[in-house]
Amino acid sequence: MANVTVIGAQWGDEGKGKIVDWLAARADAVVRFQGGHNAGHTLVVGEKVYKLSLLPSGIVTGTLSIIGNGVVLDPWHLKAEIEKLEGQGVVINTENFAIAENCPLILSVHRELDVMREAAAGSGKIGTTGRGIGPAYEDKVGRRAIRVCDLAHLDALEAQLDRLCAHHDALRAGFGQPPVDREALLNELREIAPSVLQYAQPVWKRLNSVKKAGARILFEGAQGVLLDVDHGTYPFVTSSNTVSGTAASGSGLGPSATGFVLGIVKAYTTRVGSGPFPTELEDETGQRLGERGHEFGTVTGRKRRCGWFDAVLVRQSCAISGVTGIALTKVDVLDGLEKVKICTGYRLNGKVLDYFPAHAADQANVEPIYEEMDGWQGTTAGARSWADLPAQAIKYIQRVQELIETPVALVSTSPEREDTILVRDPFAD
Ligand code: GDP
Ligand code: IMO
Ligand code: MG
């Protein structure tokens, strides 16, 4: 039995959805274990494009899809996303979809607080997705969250809401906002409860029994290691742990279930939202990467910032997350460039660094040290075998794996599911 844990090794949007979809056909279960509908995972299958934020990407292949306890779940968004996918012909039922009963909920108060804080922060804002992710995680660790299982105990919900609202009323008063309308919130929760509860179960139990039966479990991370609340570019991060270890705690399986850790790595770098980005290109090349790579946020439509590949950051992400092998995506976006650059180190206050320091000011001030390589004139777009790649593109891929000290397991050459080169099968390990 071999499980696979997919995580983003940069600032998100590395192409996790495409790779999870490609692997899902050979998995028995796909599990989301952190984040929420701040994620935007795009799957392209023939003419069809699926955009998933909360549902595990395995749902498109009909693979058992599970939302683990580590996720924060907006029940209204869930309902809308299920309806949208059903409209695209995807079958979602209690056989192929389950939600952890101990999953905390994102409520309107969380979305409102997220937006109020960002507006008040002005130029110091994080650039969140505005979906209430941070405030929902705060309430979880503050032990006042409403969870999926609470929707089955409506008699106790009023008292729970009182506790939660007392906290939020104080915060809202600071923003000059009126208290939470408890009655309206209670009614909304009563109304939405059945559509969530039909999928709710002790998923730790289900996962442990499929694991015992020898199932292959595929964990689908959201965001990326550089957005991890501990290891990322704090405070410009998301509010969950995005590293591979979270697959265990966010699903109810022990750490040994993590299996092959597949880091998804874009052949260049992008970031959406504020925060340091040493290799960012604010010139024509950056513009070209954004255009060729269609670098617009799946969730918010915001333009993603683009830059050269940063081997220092990815090496750090791979080390922190124990990455076994990477899937290198969007190599085709570099097609036709005369020269390509890779960041191999930083200069800070006259010193050379081989890692990304923790302090925000140092992160903002490091100067990248580049290595330049010839680009390639042929095309990698749509390549499905190693032999289809131009020699110079192979050199680039090999240099990347050398610098990040982690082998390449897959290469992706277009958004389409099948445009994928298998170098080393993660499930076979
Ligand atoms: P995720 O959040 O990691 O799942 O990534 P997103 O779906 O937000 O962003 C990745 C984008 O790149 C999507 O539009 C994908 O369809 C697309 N994509 C994925 N792999 C490739 C690739 O190898 N080449 C190209 N050109 N696009 C890709
Ligand atoms: P996927 O799974 C890229 C970023 C936001 C912001 C920061 C905090 O598609 O890779 P949040 O709403 O989480 O509090 O925002 O994190 N962010 C992402 N960036 N891809 C994502 O997900 C992201 N999810 C959150 O832009 O900078
Ligand atoms: Mg995305």
Side-chain angles (χ1 to χ4, degrees), residues 140-216:
K140 169 182 165 170
V141 297
R143 294 163 290 191
R144 55 183 169 265
I146 309 293
R147 305 190 301 170
V148 167
C149 53
D150 296 322
L151 298 175
H153 292 267
L154 291 172
D155 47 333
L157 194 55
E158 201 165 342
Q160 275 182 296
L161 269 182
D162 271 341
R163 234 170 69 73
L164 178 76
C165 291
H167 177 79
H168 278 268
D169 286 346
L171 293 170
R172 293 164 71 95
F175 289 102
Q177 293 298 314
V180 183
D181 183 342
R182 286 167 175 62
E183 203 46 44
L185 188 50
L186 191 58
N187 286 336
E188 283 169 23
L189 284 170
R190 278 200 188 107
E191 204 179 309
I192 199 74
S195 53
V196 180
L197 286 175
Q198 61 177 316
Y199 303 111
Q201 53 177 267
V203 303
W204 65 269
K205 202 162 180 287
R206 176 119 179 227
L207 282 170
N208 274 276
S209 69
V210 298
K211 183 183 162 210
K212 271 197 195 121
R216 291 168 156 188

